[in-house]
Amino acid sequence: MRLHTLSLTAFGPFADTQRVDFDALGGGGLFLFHGPTGAGKTSVLDAVCFAFYGQVPGARQQARSLRSDHAAPGTRPEVVLEATVRGRRLRVTRSPQWDRPKHRGTGTTTEQARVLLEELDGRLGPGWQTLSTRLDEAGQLLGRLLGLSLSQFCQVALLPQGQFAEFLRADADRRRDLLESLFDTERFAAAEAWLVERRRETARALDEADQALTALLARVAEASGEERDPAEVDPATAAQWAGDLAARSRLQLADHEAAEAEARGAREQADSALRAARALAEAQARQAELVARLAGLEAQADRRAAVAAEIEAARQAAPVLPLVARLGSLEQRLAEATSVVRRRADGLAEAAPATGTDGGRTARDLLGQVGSLRAELGVLGRLLDDEDEAERLVREVDGLEQAVVALDTQTTAVEGWLSAEPETRQRLRAERDAARDAAGGLAAARDRHGRAAARLDAARRRDARAAEVADRRTALAARVDAAQSAREHWLDLRQRRLDGMAAELAAALQPGAACPVCGSDEHPEPAAPSAEAVTREDETRAELAAAAAEDARMAAQQELADAEVELAQCREAAGGDTAAAELAAGLAALDEEVARLTAAAERLAGAETALTELDAEQERQTRERVRLAAEGHALRERIDGHQRRLALLRAEVDAARGDDPSIRRRAARLERLASDYEALAQAIADQDRLRAELDEAARQAEAEAAGRGLPDLAAVAAAARDEGQLHALEDYRQRHDAELAAVRELLGDPALAAAAAAPTARLDETTALAARAEQEHAAAVGALDAARRRVQALDRLSAELSRLLDRRAPLAARHATVDRLSRLAEGKSSDNRLRMSLSAYVLAARLEQVAEAASERLVRMSSGRYSLLHTAAGATGRSRGGLHLRVLDAWTGAERDPATLSGGESFSASLALALGLADIVTAEAGGSLLETLFVDEGFGSLDEDTLDEVMDVLDGLRDGGRVVGIVSHVADLRQRVPVQLRIDKGRTGSVIRQSAPAAPGATVDG
């Protein structure tokens, strides 16, 4: 990377345009950059960074504006830098964001940052060719070519000595911060993090497997009854331990099978004895039961005789029972009739006082009262129509009042709409006016859109014509070369023919004929033609070919001129060299504007229609308000008429209904009362009739009972039995006789007689022995089942354990490998002798390279005394170790701390360190060769001899055409370095002055 020229306008302290010609300054390879404090030396370096990166270094990037406060209000801040990067001649024109005065009115408006990146390359065409006008695209292109970030560029191209003196003496932590900002170690840190994460993942997987193994071993111990902590079992011996437990359980199973067989035999013998004892006990109990049953049956002989007598008495009373039943029915009916009379009489006792009459208690009196009630009901029937009319009037008045309420509600709604109408009208008028404005501006917007579309089309044709012009230029160059070659060939042939003209003339000489040249008729030595003689025909063909080539050149030149004219026309139509993409973006914005205005204009008809509809609705609502007022007045007059009629009807009805709520209710009550009187009269008549029938039935029943030998009806009732009772008594007598015969027959069985003669069965003792044998066998079976389940469980768990161990083995191996690599990368492994992390090791390697590169220059600066050494001492895992620097003193052979160096020695060491770091960073980042460097301050601490040595080293930097700018206030350097760049400050801004002749076209004073 080599800087050629830098132009600054309204940037930093520079109000007017200032220009720096680095080509002129670099004529000697070394120039001095000086000026008073605050003049703007840093701003020049900031301008270089701003041109390349669009930013300035450090805290200055946080400034509100990069524009000069000394500049005129309308002057655009701008930086123009020409440089060669990787063999490409580039020109970068950048303008930062700034606030310019408005073209119309007062105040300012913000101008956004701009960039123009151009390249000078004859292959692309004459003059500067635009590469990009986009900030992001230009930044990416420059970043790829430079190969350095802004922080790296500031460290390696603008060598800040104060920082490197601090870097020289800094501890490992601060030194690591700078190195991490310059060297990309993220991939190594990412590798460390990846290994740590993999270690965690494999550890989690192994831990899950170990947890599963511990749980499985616990199940094995539980299944085998082993009292052992599973955590004490080594995974390597777990399979053997489980196998031993399974073998032991199989031996225990054989013992339990033998014990179960022995217990089963004892249980079968005890069961046989228990069955025999139970059979004897059952036979003895059966015989005792039959004896007891016989005694009980014989004791029931009197009961059987009484049952037989009861059956006979019931048969005598059976013919009288229908008369007794009829007598009971009549008594029941008489009691019911009496109850009805009493209930109806009690009901009338409560209802009769409301009539104002005494109802009486005879059927005749009751029927007379019914006649009086019927007469009053006839009068009330005539008043029912008046009562119905009154109710109708009440309902109609209610309906009319509800209609009045509804009319009031409608009136309120109409009044509300009319009160809101002005606001609605104002809103609709605003919408209509906005739509009219949009319709008015639509034509202008469409016109702008048409012009923008035409510019975009012209720009696209311009770009196509530009490519065509480039092709025409290439073709013209080829035609020029061809025409020149043809002309040169023709002229060469012509010269060769002239050179051989003597031979051509000699060939035409005839003996005795005069020579056309000398006139002699003798030709003693005529010239002979050479082998490469050119004839007239050859010259003529070459002349014709040259003429044809010239015609082709002129045609190509005309085609190029025509294409350039078309390009100029297209460029003029496109409005200059604005990129087609930018014009397309502007056209898209106009598309949106036209669409917005069109949509707004299309709402005009709707807005006007809405206003028309609003006028119609206002008129309708006004008419509706008048109609509602008239209808409400009419309804209120009807309500008043109905209420007057209702008052008259209510007076007549109230007089007739008495204490009843209505005429209808009174008539209904009196109708019910008359019906109750009639029902009571009928009930009294029924009561008298039933009493006479009951007396006649009693006489007949008593006569029949006497004829059957029964003293009275009470004896008939006592002897009476229904069919079920007689059947039960007869069944008892038959069952008693049958059971008595059966018991006597069973007692005659010889087996029962033998059981009765045998000793009493010892059932309890035999049962206890059988139960104990059953328990012992059950215990043996349980133990056998448990042993079998234990064997099965241990076999199943052993197989599961084998599978789990097979799965765990690769997990453990993988975790061991990852753990070893991760701890090695973290610096925590004993295999890592330096105890350094991977990223720290990479930075240490870079620092070692920097120290080696710096030592080459420091040895020269210190006359062979000092060199820089890197040491990894102090590294502890992830600590900031391994980044220590020492100074080797060749005079003493001892290593020294950089802090022990003097001021001048520290400057030399830090300068060497800065130069070495610049070389390594450039090589590491893949950046271009830095052919222009700036070394900032620190020379005042050097003595004369050391200054000479430092200057020798800086002179050495010029090898290969490198240009070095020294930024310093040291007066002695002004004598040593004749080429100087001085910055002077003043009230109107700073100016730049160069002491060396400027390159052609450059200005010395800004």
Side-chain angles (χ1 to χ4, degrees):
M1 183 274 297
R2 175 183 287 275
L3 306 181
H4 298 296
T5 62
L6 174 67
S7 175
L8 305 92
T9 302
F11 186 87
F14 306 105
D16 300 323
T17 300
Q18 303 293 314
R19 181 180 168 94
V20 179
D21 190 341
F22 289 106
D23 287 336
L25 292 172
L30 192 66
F31 67 92
L32 179 64
F33 190 7
H34 68 100
T37 301
K41 298 187 296 298
T42 302
S43 294
V44 174
L45 303 182
D46 286 348
V48 175
C49 294
F50 180 73
F52 278 137
Y53 296 96
Q55 302 179 59
V56 295
R60 296 187 295 279
Q61 179 61 27
Q62 306 303 320
R64 185 183 64 86
S65 174
L66 298 177
R67 186 178 182 276
S68 175
D69 294 332
H70 300 286
T75 303
R76 178 191 303 278
E78 187 175 73
V79 172
V80 181
L81 175 66
E82 290 187 25
T84 298
V85 184
R86 296 187 186 271
R88 299 175 66 175
R89 182 68 175 260
L90 303 176
R91 181 169 67 189
V92 186
T93 304
R94 280 191 190 269
S95 177
Q97 178 178 302
W98 67 292
D99 295 332
R100 65 164 176 81
K102 291 182 177 179
H103 296 313
R104 286 182 290 184
T106 60
T108 61
T109 185
T110 301
E111 283 279 348
Q112 299 301 322
R114 297 182 181 180
V115 66
L116 173 61
L117 178 60
E118 301 171 287
E119 182 176 4
L120 185 62
D121 188 348
R123 295 173 299 177
L124 301 177
W128 291 95
Q129 302 297 316
T130 300
L131 298 181
S132 177
T133 58
R134 291 176 50 184
L135 294 173
D136 55 349
E137 186 179 50
Q140 292 173 1
L141 178 57
L142 288 171
R144 288 196 301 270
L145 291 175
L146 290 169
L148 298 170
S149 65
L150 175 60
S151 61
Q152 290 174 325
F153 181 81
C154 292
Q155 293 291 340
V156 302
L158 314 177
L159 304 180
Q161 288 307 297
Q163 292 185 19
F164 280 96
E166 180 183 356
F167 178 75
L168 180 66
R169 299 186 179 92
D171 57 19
D173 289 336
R174 286 187 293 172
R175 188 172 292 135
R176 182 188 185 109
D177 291 339
L178 176 60
L179 292 174
E180 285 181 339
S181 69
L182 297 178
F183 296 105
D184 182 16
T185 59
E186 292 183 359
R187 60 186 184 277
F188 302 105
E192 293 178 36
W194 183 84
L195 286 172
V196 169
E197 183 60 27
R198 289 293 298 162
R199 182 181 69 195
R200 291 173 182 164
E201 291 177 0
T202 56
R204 282 196 297 269
L206 181 59
D207 183 60
E208 292 174 359
D210 286 341
Q211 290 179 1
L213 179 61
T214 301
L216 186 56
L217 292 176
R219 291 168 58 193
V220 171
E222 180 182 2
S224 65
E226 179 78 10
E227 295 183 0
R228 184 174 179 181
D229 187 357
E232 298 177 355
V233 180
D234 187 352
T237 61
Q240 180 62 39
W241 176 67
D244 294 342
L245 293 178
R248 189 188 309 165
S249 66
R250 282 191 285 272
L251 294 176
Q252 293 173 352
L253 175 61
D255 295 340
H256 286 298
E257 288 176 343
E260 189 275 335
E262 181 179 355
R264 185 171 62 252
R267 186 205 65 187
E268 292 174 353
Q269 184 177 359
D271 288 345
S272 178
L274 178 60
R275 285 193 296 273
R278 284 176 176 171
L280 176 60
E282 289 176 358
Q284 290 177 343
R286 179 66 173 161
Q287 197 273 341
E289 180 184 0
L290 290 174
V291 170
R293 286 176 63 190
L294 179 61
L297 291 173
E298 290 175 347
Q300 294 178 3
D302 295 340
R303 166 68 176 156
R304 181 191 177 286
V307 166
E310 185 176 355
I311 293 172
E312 183 62 27
R315 288 175 177 170
Q316 290 295 328
V320 187
L321 288 179
L323 298 176
V324 174
R326 183 173 181 275
L327 182 62
S329 175
L330 289 173
E331 290 177 346
Q332 178 66 28
R333 289 171 61 190
L334 178 61
E336 292 176 354
T338 302
S339 176
V340 170
V341 170
R342 187 180 301 110
R343 186 170 63 254
R344 293 187 178 280
D346 292 342
L348 284 173
E350 297 177 358
T355 65
T357 61
D358 185 3
R361 284 291 177 254
T362 65
R364 184 182 297 276
D365 294 338
L366 292 173
L367 292 176
Q369 185 64 31
V370 169
S372 300
L373 292 174
R374 296 294 183 191
E376 186 178 356
L377 283 172
V379 175
L380 293 177
R382 292 190 295 273
L383 294 177
L384 285 176
D385 293 338
D386 293 342
E387 186 177 47
D388 291 342
E389 184 181 0
E391 291 178 355
R392 180 185 62 76
L393 289 175
V394 169
R395 290 193 301 272
E396 189 170 350
V397 168
D398 290 341
L400 292 173
E401 289 178 345
Q402 291 176 2
V404 169
V405 172
L407 287 175
D408 291 342
T409 302
Q410 295 178 27
T411 302
T412 302
V414 169
E415 293 292 346
W417 188 94
L418 290 173
S419 63
E421 184 271 338
E423 182 179 354
T424 303
R425 182 177 299 277
Q426 182 178 2
R427 177 179 57 79
L428 292 177
R429 284 176 176 173
E431 293 178 358
R432 180 198 63 190
D433 294 343
R436 284 178 177 175
D437 293 342
L442 182 58
R446 286 174 174 168
D447 182 62
R448 292 195 302 274
H449 182 275
R451 292 198 302 271
R455 286 188 65 194
L456 176 59
D457 179 66
R460 288 170 175 166
R461 288 187 286 108
R462 175 201 64 199
D463 295 341
R465 291 295 180 272
E468 183 179 350
V469 165
D471 295 340
R472 297 294 185 189
R473 285 174 179 166
T474 302
L476 176 59
R479 293 290 188 272
V480 169
D481 293 341
Q484 187 65 29
S485 298
R487 181 174 178 78
E488 289 176 355
H489 179 62
W490 169 53
L491 293 175
D492 178 62
L493 291 181
R494 184 176 184 181
Q495 184 63 43
R496 288 168 54 193
R497 181 169 176 250
L498 290 175
D499 293 341
M501 185 59 69
E504 183 179 342
L505 292 174
L509 291 176
Q510 296 295 329
C515 175
V517 177
C518 65
S520 175
D521 55 358
E522 294 182 0
H523 315 294
E525 295 181 0
S530 65
E532 298 178 355
V534 176
T535 64
R536 179 184 295 273
E537 292 76 10
D538 293 336
E539 181 184 356
T540 301
R541 284 196 300 270
E543 183 179 6
L544 293 175
E550 180 63 19
D551 292 340
R553 181 195 67 78
M554 293 179 66
Q557 186 172 1
Q558 184 60 42
E559 291 175 355
L560 175 60
D562 294 341
E564 287 177 338
V565 169
E566 292 181 6
L567 175 60
Q569 292 173 349
C570 292
R571 182 176 286 113
E572 181 180 1
D577 292 328
T578 305
E582 184 177 350
L583 293 176
L587 181 61
L590 287 174
D591 285 338
E592 295 178 359
E593 182 181 2
V594 169
R596 178 180 59 79
L597 292 175
T598 301
E602 289 175 351
R603 291 193 288 270
L604 177 59
E608 292 177 343
T609 301
L611 282 171
T612 302
E613 293 175 351
L614 181 65
D615 293 338
E617 182 65 16
Q618 181 188 25
E619 183 178 356
R620 189 188 69 78
Q621 293 286 352
T622 302
R623 291 196 303 271
E624 182 68 9
R625 180 171 59 184
V626 173
R627 183 190 67 78
L628 291 174
E631 187 173 348
H633 179 72
L635 288 176
R636 288 184 177 89
E637 287 185 348
R638 289 182 63 190
I639 290 173
D640 292 341
H642 286 347
Q643 287 179 342
R644 287 192 297 271
R645 171 65 177 161
L646 180 62
L648 295 175
L649 292 175
R650 279 180 173 174
E652 184 178 1
V653 170
D654 290 344
R657 65 182 173 81
D659 295 333
D660 291 305
S662 65
I663 295 294
R664 192 174 302 279
R665 295 283 292 277
R666 181 175 181 82
R669 184 179 65 80
L670 294 179
E671 180 67 32
R672 288 194 302 272
L673 187 61
S675 298
D676 290 342
Y677 277 134
E678 290 177 346
L680 178 60
Q682 182 63 42
I684 291 173
D686 291 341
Q687 181 185 36
D688 294 341
R689 179 179 54 78
L690 288 173
R691 186 177 288 115
E693 290 181 3
L694 178 62
D695 293 341
E696 177 63 21
R699 186 186 61 76
Q700 293 178 0
E702 290 174 352
E704 183 66 22
R708 294 284 181 179
L710 297 173
D712 52 25
L713 295 179
V716 173
R721 298 290 185 274
D722 59 22
E723 193 70 25
Q725 290 174 331
L726 286 174
H727 179 73
L729 292 173
E730 186 65 31
D731 182 64
Y732 169 77
R733 183 175 64 179
Q734 292 177 0
R735 283 188 293 101
H736 179 272
D737 294 343
E739 187 176 359
L740 180 62
V743 168
R744 286 173 177 168
E745 181 180 358
L746 290 174
L747 285 175
D749 187 357
L752 291 179
T760 303
R762 300 168 62 186
L763 186 59
D764 293 342
E765 180 180 351
T766 307
T767 302
L769 292 174
R772 185 163 58 252
E774 179 66 26
Q775 291 175 355
E776 292 176 352
H777 180 255
V781 170
L784 177 60
D785 290 341
R788 284 173 177 168
R789 288 195 299 273
R790 184 180 301 113
V791 169
Q792 294 172 356
L794 289 175
D795 289 342
R796 184 180 67 257
L797 292 175
S798 296
E800 187 175 348
L801 177 62
S802 178
R803 292 192 297 270
L804 180 58
L805 290 173
D806 291 341
R807 291 198 305 271
R808 181 187 178 279
L811 294 177
R814 187 179 302 114
H815 174 65
T817 301
V818 173
D819 182 69
R820 184 171 63 256
L821 288 175
S822 174
R823 297 186 184 280
L824 181 66
E826 287 184 290
K828 298 179 180 179
S829 172
S830 59
D831 294 336
N832 190 332
R833 293 176 297 168
L834 297 178
R835 307 294 290 172
M836 294 172 62
S837 66
L838 179 59
S839 58
Y841 177 78
V842 172
L843 288 179
R846 295 291 181 266
L847 183 58
E848 184 176 8
Q849 294 174 342
V850 170
E852 291 177 357
S855 293
E856 294 180 5
R857 296 183 173 91
L858 181 58
V859 169
R860 294 175 55 192
M861 292 182 189
S862 61
S863 301
R865 180 178 180 181
Y866 295 119
S867 60
L868 290 175
L869 297 177
H870 162 259
T871 175
T876 55
R878 285 292 297 171
S879 71
R880 303 287 186 169
L883 299 177
H884 294 275
L885 286 175
R886 304 288 290 176
V887 177
L888 176 62
D889 190 343
W891 289 2
T892 62
E895 296 182 5
R896 295 170 53 181
D897 191 311
T900 63
L901 297 176
S902 66
E905 292 171 339
S906 295
F907 170 74
S908 300
S910 60
L911 176 59
L913 189 61
L915 295 172
L917 187 62
D919 292 342
I920 300 304
V921 169
T922 303
E924 169 69 15
S928 60
L929 175 64
L930 298 176
E931 299 178 82
T932 304
L933 298 176
F934 295 90
V935 181
D936 189 7
E937 287 298 349
F939 294 90
S941 60
L942 304 179
D943 57 43
E944 185 174 354
D945 293 337
T946 304
L947 182 59
D948 290 337
E949 293 170 348
V950 170
M951 294 301 295
D952 290 341
V953 172
L954 294 178
D955 283 340
L957 294 177
R958 295 182 295 173
D959 295 343
R962 183 177 290 177
V963 177
V964 180
I966 300 174
V967 184
S968 178
H969 295 284
V970 177
D972 188 37
L973 289 176
R974 300 177 191 175
Q975 305 299 324
R976 292 173 176 264
V977 183
V979 181
Q980 298 179 10
L981 181 68
R982 177 178 174 81
I983 301 180
D984 294 325
K985 62 182 179 180
R987 290 182 177 273
T988 59
S990 299
V991 294
I992 300 175
R993 306 182 188 281
Q994 291 184 204
S995 62
T1003 60
V1004 176
D1005 293 337

